[in-house]
């Protein structure tokens, strides 16, 4: 399923209440202050951390492929009296009106691109929208299989209207050759006698460090630094979440 179709309807509604963690704005604020402004967040979703960055006075635009998620972002921005400029576009088909000193993804959203060809198109879009001397920050990780005992385990939250919200992984397939993991997620909303239940496949596609660097080079970019989330240099055999800094060649 296309991410633009995945994050719609009940999934967009449940995303905020049921997300497993919140993005820390600090690493991205530090990146923007170092790389310069204006900045662009790719895959900004419902506004985390973009709205907090805007609240701090940083000049950051956003782009996302889901109209439903952007609507939630705009609603929160209005409620918090924050001005935010966002665009409804796919990461792999960027066509924005200006270039940026800093382009970043908050968290490993890049792994939601389904294959290498789409990833290459996104990197070429990054190249086209970087200002002279600009820098891009792309976090990447290799997803771990969901432990067997967690398949079917339900996470719950309450909606403002009192509805019970639920999400669970009901099945999972992993293809090491294609470097994809497809998790079948079940989303539920129960309010009295009314219930909505939908199952959607959530696909993640990962890269080895060498594979990603080859895509970067093909897109006309170069990897200038690879760090851990705290900004410390990552050794070649490092695992976990890695931050790749890219510049034009």
């Amino acid at each position: 399923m296309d991410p633009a179709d995945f994050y719609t309807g009940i999934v967009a509604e449940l995303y905020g209440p049921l997300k497993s963690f919140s993005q820390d704005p600090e690493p991205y604020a530090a990146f923007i202050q170092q790389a310069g402004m204006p900045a662009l967040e790719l895959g900004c979703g419902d506004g985390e951390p973009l709205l907090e960055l805007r609240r701090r006075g940083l000049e950051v635009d956003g782009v996302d492929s889901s109209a439903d998620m952007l609507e939630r972002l705009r609603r929160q921005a209005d409620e918090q009296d924050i001005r935010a400029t966002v665009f409804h576009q796919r990461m792999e088909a960027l066509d924005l009106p200006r270039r940026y000193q800093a382009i970043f993804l908050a968290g490993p959203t890049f792994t939601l691109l389904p294959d290498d060809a789409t990833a290459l198109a996104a990197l070429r879009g990054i190249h086209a929208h970087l200002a002279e001397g600009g820098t891009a920050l792309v976090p990447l990780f290799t997803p771990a299989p969901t432990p067997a005992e967690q398949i079917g385990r339900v996470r719950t939250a309450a909606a403002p209207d009192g509805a019970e919200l639920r999400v669970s992984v009901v099945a999972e397939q992993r293809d090491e050759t294609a470097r994809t993991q497809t998790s079948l997620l079940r989303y539920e909303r129960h309010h009295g006698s009314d219930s909505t239940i939908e199952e959607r496949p959530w696909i993640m596609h990962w890269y080895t460090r060498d594979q990603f660097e080859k895509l970067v080079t093909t897109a006309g970019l170069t990897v200038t630094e690879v760090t851990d989330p705290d900004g410390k240099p990552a050794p070649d055999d490092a695992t976990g979440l890695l931050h790749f800094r890219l510049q034009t060649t």
Side-chain angles (χ1 to χ4, degrees):
M1 175 175 279
D2 191 296
D5 298 323
F6 184 92
Y7 289 101
T8 58
I10 189 174
V11 176
E13 178 188 356
L14 272 60
Y15 177 82
L18 285 170
K19 61 187 174 186
S20 56
F21 67 97
S22 296
Q23 288 292 343
D24 180 0
E26 296 300 337
Y28 307 106
F31 168 69
I32 293 167
Q33 289 164 346
Q34 181 183 51
M37 293 183 281
L40 173 69
E41 180 184 350
L42 300 176
C44 63
D46 63 355
E48 187 183 273
L50 186 144
L51 293 180
E52 174 58 28
L53 298 173
R54 291 290 298 126
R55 189 198 312 279
R56 298 182 184 193
L58 298 175
E59 187 182 359
V60 188
D61 294 345
V63 64
D64 200 274
S65 62
S66 169
D68 286 2
M69 293 292 277
L70 289 178
E71 177 57 33
R72 296 178 69 82
L73 181 154
R74 293 187 182 99
R75 187 161 60 245
Q76 292 184 73
D78 288 343
E79 292 170 354
Q80 300 173 37
D81 195 26
I82 297 173
R83 294 182 62 185
T85 299
V86 293
F87 302 91
H88 180 210
Q89 293 186 20
R90 295 173 182 270
M91 194 187 312
E92 67 272 24
L94 292 180
D95 186 15
L96 303 177
R98 63 173 175 169
R99 295 190 175 197
Y100 298 88
Q101 285 296 133
I103 298 178
F104 68 99
L105 297 93
T109 307
F110 202 84
T111 59
L112 298 181
L113 298 175
D115 50 46
D116 287 356
T118 309
L120 178 58
L123 289 168
R124 284 176 168 152
I126 290 172
H127 181 284
H129 288 81
L130 274 177
E132 185 176 356
T135 306
L137 175 66
V138 181
L140 292 177
F141 84 131
T142 299
T146 301
E149 65 272 13
Q150 292 185 18
I151 300 292
R153 183 176 295 177
V154 178
R155 286 191 289 118
T156 64
D161 64 356
E164 182 182 48
L165 310 176
R166 303 177 181 177
V167 66
S168 56
V169 179
V170 296
E172 190 167 88
Q173 293 183 334
R174 188 176 176 93
D175 187 331
E176 297 288 349
T177 301
R179 292 176 277 116
T180 59
Q181 179 168 290
T182 304
S183 304
L184 184 62
L185 302 182
R186 177 177 293 158
Y187 291 87
E188 306 176 53
R189 190 183 198 278
H190 302 283
H191 194 202
S193 60
D194 295 329
S195 293
T196 302
I197 301 174
E198 289 192 28
E199 292 184 353
R200 296 188 185 181
W202 191 46
I203 302 172
M204 289 186 287
H205 176 68
W206 68 88
Y207 315 82
T208 66
R209 189 160 166 173
D210 286 345
Q211 287 164 341
F212 182 69
E213 291 187 356
K214 287 178 181 177
L215 289 174
V216 167
T217 300
T218 302
L221 297 162
T222 185
V223 176
T224 59
E225 189 177 19
V226 182
T227 67
D228 65 18
D230 295 325
K232 299 177 182 177
D236 291 343
D237 59 351
T239 58
L241 184 63
L242 299 175
H243 284 185
F244 289 77
R245 294 198 182 208
L246 316 177
Q247 291 186 321
T248 56
T249 53

